[in-house]
Amino acid sequence: MEEKFKKTAVVTGGSRGIGRAICLELAKEGANLVINYAGNLQAAEEAKKSCEELGAEVLLVQGDVSSFDDCKALFDAAAERFGRVDILVNNAGITRDNLILRMSGEDFDKVIDVNLKGTWNCLKLASKIMVKQRYGRIVNITSVVGVIGNAGQTNYAASKAGVIGMTKSLARELASRGITVNAVAPGYIATDMTAGLSDEIRETVKNAIPLQRLGDAGDVAALVAFLASDKAGYITGQVIHVDGGLAM
Ligand code: NAP
């Protein structure tokens, strides 16, 4: 990527799975990384090392995205180390699946707090920096489940559908400031999050996917890196699926 200056990217939940693959892809494109993670320091340090091997400067910041104070500390640390934030990828997310009759209110609230409020926290803090810069690329990771729903995921589907609404609203708010805001909706991607699926469910899922396989984290990361680049400057407010054709 021929960029005029070294970009700084903040990736929430950048230590494992899809977030880690996004960090590696952005590092390959020449960005410096601020990698946020929740608690697994070993995974975070491994991701940091891999990005550094690709030439990136990397800052690791532990924090729970559902806490506004933790997010404030994340963006303060990014600004202090790199002086700017060009790219934000809201990737941190969790599941607490259950059928509605068995799902607790706590599990509903927890998923909304991390996936939806956590995204909003980072959008608010990044917007302040990006508006001043009059430049920014924001990519929110939603899910196919936020579009088509899934039994056992009322909490997760609500959070991810909410992310889509926020993406479109903020795209309209920030367009005049040179900031794009898009959402990427992965389908079933092979990560720790989907590692617990039974063989039976895995087979059912594969049969429902036109491309007949689960995706790789790299499949998602390639699109995110494009949306985060200068080449994607005329794309905003979109929800782009990376799901092997599952939702169409
Ligand atoms: P994953 O393998 O479980 O990794 C989750 C990452 O998020 C880890 O880095 C984790 O850090 C971090 N994290 C978790 N809770 C956090 C919190 N409260 N604050 C900050 N960081 C937190 O998940 P994944 O499969 O890569 O999923 C990444 C994103 O893609 C999520 O938003 C997910 O909903 C979405 N997605 C995934 C799939 C899929 O099939 N995998 C499909 C559609 C959408 P620690 O390791 O420190 O806990």
Side-chain angles (χ1 to χ4, degrees):
M1 167 165 77
E2 288 296 321
E3 304 287 11
K4 289 187 199 72
F5 55 89
K6 192 99 175 156
K7 301 264 171 71
T8 300
V10 174
V11 181
T12 67
S15 56
R16 288 191 290 118
I18 293 171
R20 178 182 181 280
I22 291 167
C23 289
L24 291 175
E25 203 62 38
L26 292 174
K28 273 187 218 157
E29 297 293 331
N32 289 326
L33 269 308
V34 182
I35 302 179
N36 154 260
Y37 67 103
N40 186 338
L41 176 62
Q42 196 183 338
E45 280 178 339
E46 195 277 327
K48 177 176 189 271
K49 188 163 170 274
S50 300
C51 291
E52 284 171 347
E53 281 165 8
L54 292 166
E57 271 185 59
V58 182
L59 178 65
L60 279 186
V61 184
Q62 187 280 331
D64 176 351
V65 291
S66 67
S67 154
F68 187 80
D69 288 348
D70 282 10
C71 293
K72 174 98 174 48
L74 169 66
F75 283 89
D76 285 350
E80 192 185 336
R81 170 74 178 266
F82 295 112
R84 52 188 295 126
V85 174
D86 305 286
I87 297 163
L88 165 64
V89 183
N90 274 307
N91 165 80
I94 58 165
T95 52
R96 293 281 187 280
D97 300 349
N98 225 327
L99 298 173
I100 197 161
L101 295 182
R102 293 190 200 137
M103 186 181 288
S104 66
E106 289 76 28
D107 280 349
F108 183 84
D109 290 346
K110 180 75 187 163
V111 169
I112 297 293
D113 282 351
V114 173
N115 298 4
L116 187 59
K117 182 73 187 301
T119 296
W120 184 84
N121 285 338
C122 292
L123 290 175
K124 184 174 171 67
L125 290 156
S127 294
K128 192 172 180 193
I129 296 171
M130 289 176 177
V131 162
K132 276 192 201 135
Q133 291 170 177
R134 300 191 76 82
Y135 180 89
R137 294 277 182 272
I138 298 174
V139 183
N140 297 321
I141 306 299
T142 175
S143 168
V144 66
V145 171
V147 179
I148 65 174
N150 193 26
Q153 291 199 303
T154 49
N155 50 0
Y156 184 77
S159 72
K160 294 299 190 179
V163 166
I164 291 173
M166 279 198 310
T167 299
K168 293 178 181 178
S169 300
L170 195 62
R172 291 182 188 279
E173 275 187 41
L174 298 182
S176 64
R177 313 300 178 94
I179 301 165
T180 64
V181 190
N182 291 290
V184 167
Y188 287 85
I189 308 296
T191 68
D192 293 345
M193 188 177 268
T194 48
L197 294 178
S198 68
D199 288 348
E200 194 190 341
I201 292 182
R202 199 171 284 269
E203 216 34 52
T204 311
V205 161
K206 271 192 206 166
N207 289 333
I209 299 170
L211 287 175
Q212 294 278 298
R213 66 169 176 91
L214 267 68
D216 296 324
D219 293 327
V220 181
L223 174 62
V224 173
F226 174 70
L227 290 172
S229 75
D230 285 343
K231 289 175 191 146
Y234 199 55
I235 303 172
T236 198
Q238 302 305 302
V239 182
I240 305 179
H241 292 250
V242 184
D243 63 4
L246 183 58
M248 62 169 122

